[in-house]
Amino acid sequence: MNASDCPLCETDGGLLVFRDGLLRVIQASEAGFPAFYRVVWTQHVAEFSDLSPAERGTCMNAVVAVERVLRAELQPTKINLAALGNMVPHLHWHVIARFDWDSHFPAPVWGGPQRPLDAEKLASLAARCRDVNRLIADELAR
């Protein structure tokens, strides 16, 4: 896959929370997981090791900033971090707040559900993510 047919080069890939010249943070549109974020490197590279040491630091600082805000504001059971890129070979990190009540916990979000969705808790979490988005943007703009 090259940049001309890469979905992460063509679109934001979700609700844009923050963007600068090097990366963007989006709230992903993942059904059942409103606190699912991606840190997407702007340049079309496939692997973390394609970045310079300084760029790797910038990227990981953004991942950590998103994680810190999610932990502080949502108090999740766990934060999942992943940089798979098997389907879209464009460097991006998944930062996902997980809760012991979510439909897939403790399995990965890409696994099978363990229980039905809790619509009330999901709606409450989605509403809280509006403030989280602002806080993530503020943190990364510093």
Side-chain angles (χ1 to χ4, degrees):
M1 177 178 291
N2 58 42
S4 65
D5 60 353
C6 171
L8 292 179
C9 289
E10 295 173 2
T11 67
D12 286 333
L15 176 66
L16 184 64
V17 173
F18 172 83
R19 179 193 316 268
D20 66 13
L22 296 174
L23 57 86
R24 69 183 176 275
V25 174
I26 59 108
Q27 182 183 12
S29 299
E30 297 288 339
F33 302 98
F36 188 131
Y37 291 81
R38 289 190 185 100
V39 175
V40 182
W41 195 252
T42 299
Q43 181 185 359
H44 185 86
V45 298
E47 306 299 342
F48 192 56
S49 60
D50 291 335
L51 303 181
S52 71
E55 290 170 329
R56 287 193 300 268
T58 298
C59 186
M60 286 314 297
N61 286 341
V63 170
V64 169
V66 173
E67 178 183 306
R68 271 197 313 256
V69 171
L70 292 175
R71 290 182 68 200
E73 297 302 314
L74 302 178
Q75 293 84 46
T77 305
K78 183 72 176 93
I79 297 286
N80 290 171
L81 300 175
L84 305 171
N86 294 337
M87 299 302 292
V88 180
H90 179 130
L91 180 62
H92 62 284
W93 282 85
H94 304 270
V95 185
I96 312 161
R98 300 296 307 280
F99 302 87
D100 58 9
W101 53 261
D102 83 40
S103 61
H104 289 54
F105 194 87
V109 296
W110 300 285
Q114 308 294 304
R115 65 195 58 77
L117 292 173
D118 186 323
E120 187 175 311
K121 287 182 178 176
L122 284 173
S124 174
L125 180 59
R128 292 176 67 198
C129 285
R130 288 189 287 269
D131 289 331
V132 165
N133 292 349
R134 180 183 48 77
L135 294 168
I136 288 171
D138 291 349
E139 179 73 19
L140 290 170
R142 294 179 192 196

